[in-house]
Amino acid sequence: MKIAVYATKPYDRHFLSAANAGFGHALIFLEPRLDRHTALLAKECPAVCVFVNDQLDRTVLEMLAAGGTRFIALRCAGFNNVDLVAAQELGLSVVRVPAYSPHAVAEFTIGLLLALDRNIARAWARVRENNFALDGLIGRNLYGRTVGVVGTGRIGALVARTLKAGFGCEVLASDILVDPALEAIGVRYVPREELLSTSEIVTLHCPLTPETRHMIDAEMIAAARPGLLIVNTSRGALIDTRALINGLKSRSIGGVALDVYEQEADLFFEDLSNEIIEDDDFQRLLTFPNVLVTGHQAFLTEEALDSIAMTTLQSLADAEAGHILVNAVTAGGVIRPAAPL
Ligand code: NAD
């Protein structure tokens, strides 16, 4: 199948090309992101392959459908950037990679938490300047601290398990579904409000939905335990950035580690080192000594990239063959058989 691969980076090209040896799709690698200005590039491609910051609103989907596209393959787990209702109405099937390597994201989450809590990034910056002073680098033990995990799906469950069984934390959890295996090791499910007001550290692992958008807002920050640490490797808009900045300024928030950012689509995945960054909120965040930001790289392991490429190309092979799309996402969350080509 002819597939227009948007927002291609060298690592996408490498892993998709390697995986494609077993499939034989015609991959057309495109560097721009998918939006209203670039949708025409997919003309006559039955499938497009997209990533987290490509824009798949109704207008873009209409342009794709008019150009002959039938399948959209997200090479990621989240699908908040796709208007699923419009896709369904236009007869576009959407597939994603629901679980490529939860370990990649869970391990990075723990890494970010430790780096924030123990000032590892600041220490490295000092050592590079031959500054070996330790003032200002005092951290806290994780052992015995209360950590709240919001969303205990594939990634959150691994994080909760690591914190509980590995580090000896008191782990609270909040989810619309309870995982009995986590309860069995002593993870305690509590209402989200209680989790947010009781925890010393909160780590976010739920999807971005209308219900979870700005879950961390001014009200929550006002009710939080003073000095709360927040880690977010899920989706940026779970946090109201302005409220977060105010929380940092007032010292209510003790530190933040972000791999995702609300307005990241304008920044992440590009080298902007020679550009003027116009996002004042982002620039303000970077001025705090207790803020650590990475550019949406929690997924970036060889294992995850290999798995993403294999699953994506398999889904499109299934679509071409008219098989059931096991990784389909629809507005109703129902898996539908692929429309034959
Ligand atoms: P998952 O679907 O396995 O788990 C999500 C969990 O969130 C589920 O248990 C679900 O019941 C729960 N949930 C849904 N609505 C909720 C709510 N309102 N309150 C609390 N919990 C709720 O997903 P996953 O694979 O664990 O991924 C979690 C998130 O991580 C994804 O949504 C994605 O946005 C993000 N992610 C980020 C990266 C990265 O590189 N930073 C990579 C992969 C995934």
Side-chain angles (χ1 to χ4, degrees):
M1 176 147 47
K2 201 169 160 191
I3 307 166
V5 185
Y6 279 92
T8 304
K9 298 294 178 199
Y11 47 84
D12 295 312
R13 188 184 285 262
H14 174 80
F15 283 91
L16 282 167
S17 298
N20 196 36
F23 293 98
H25 294 296
L27 301 177
I28 300 166
F29 292 110
L30 303 168
E31 289 186 10
R33 284 205 314 248
L34 173 60
D35 60 20
R36 294 165 195 210
H37 306 292
T38 60
L40 279 175
L41 296 172
K43 199 165 184 302
E44 289 168 16
C45 290
V48 297
C49 176
V50 296
F51 197 47
V52 291
N53 290 325
D54 290 292
Q55 289 168 16
L56 294 103
D57 57 21
R58 181 175 286 276
T59 306
V60 170
L61 294 174
E62 282 171 354
M63 291 172 75
L64 290 176
T69 296
R70 307 277 300 281
F71 301 103
I72 293 164
L74 292 147
R75 51 182 192 276
C76 55
F79 46 87
N80 50 283
N81 51 336
V82 187
D83 183 338
L84 290 173
V85 174
Q88 209 151 325
E89 285 170 12
L90 291 161
L92 292 162
S93 298
V94 182
V95 291
R96 63 171 180 146
V97 186
Y100 42 87
S101 174
H103 292 278
V105 184
E107 290 168 13
F108 194 84
T109 303
I110 300 292
L112 269 188
L113 171 54
L114 288 171
L116 174 72
D117 207 20
R118 301 301 300 272
N119 295 299
I120 293 171
R122 296 187 68 209
W124 172 230
R126 281 190 193 187
V127 168
R128 284 169 63 98
E129 298 289 325
N130 293 331
N131 176 357
F132 305 104
L134 298 181
D135 325 285
L137 298 183
I138 300 172
R140 296 272 316 272
N141 289 359
L142 267 181
Y143 176 76
R145 281 163 88 196
T146 304
V147 186
V149 180
V150 181
T152 53
R154 296 175 187 89
I155 296 167
L158 284 171
V159 171
R161 197 170 279 281
T162 305
L163 290 169
K164 180 74 189 170
F167 287 94
C169 297
E170 176 73 23
V171 178
L172 305 178
S174 144
D175 198 308
I176 49 178
L177 302 168
V178 167
D179 181 345
L182 289 180
E183 283 191 317
I185 61 163
V187 172
R188 201 156 55 82
Y189 280 85
V190 296
R192 189 201 294 168
E193 293 68 28
E194 184 182 335
L195 176 147
L196 295 175
S197 63
T198 320
S199 301
E200 299 168 85
I201 300 164
V202 166
T203 180
L204 305 178
H205 301 288
C206 60
L208 175 62
T209 64
E211 203 268 317
T212 61
R213 185 180 188 81
H214 285 185
M215 145 191 304
I216 306 288
D217 60 7
E219 197 183 334
M220 177 266 143
I221 291 170
R225 222 165 135 159
L228 173 71
L229 300 185
I230 301 173
V231 181
N232 187 8
T233 59
S234 190
R235 284 292 180 265
L238 295 177
I239 300 179
D240 176 344
T241 307
R242 295 270 166 90
L244 181 67
I245 290 169
N246 289 334
L248 285 158
K249 284 164 76 176
S250 68
R251 280 80 168 164
S252 311
I253 301 291
V256 184
L258 305 176
D259 185 50
V260 287
Y261 167 63
E262 207 173 355
Q263 305 299 337
E264 70 176 50
D266 298 331
L267 301 169
F268 286 4
F269 307 118
E270 304 302 331
D271 178 0
L272 303 180
S273 53
N274 289 317
E275 307 290 328
I276 304 293
I277 304 294
E278 294 184 7
D279 183 334
D280 292 346
D281 290 338
F282 187 73
Q283 292 301 90
R284 180 68 179 102
L285 272 180
L286 299 188
T287 65
F288 294 100
N290 50 350
V291 171
L292 186 58
V293 182
T294 49
H296 205 138
Q297 72 170 87
F299 71 98
L300 201 68
T301 66
E302 288 182 14
E303 293 83 354
L305 289 168
D306 186 42
S307 172
I308 288 169
M310 291 299 288
T311 305
T312 301
L313 299 182
Q314 181 64 57
S315 290
L316 290 173
D318 290 344
E320 192 170 28
H323 294 158
I324 295 274
L325 296 179
V326 290
N327 295 322
V329 278
T330 70
V334 185
I335 296 168
R336 294 185 307 160
L341 275 174

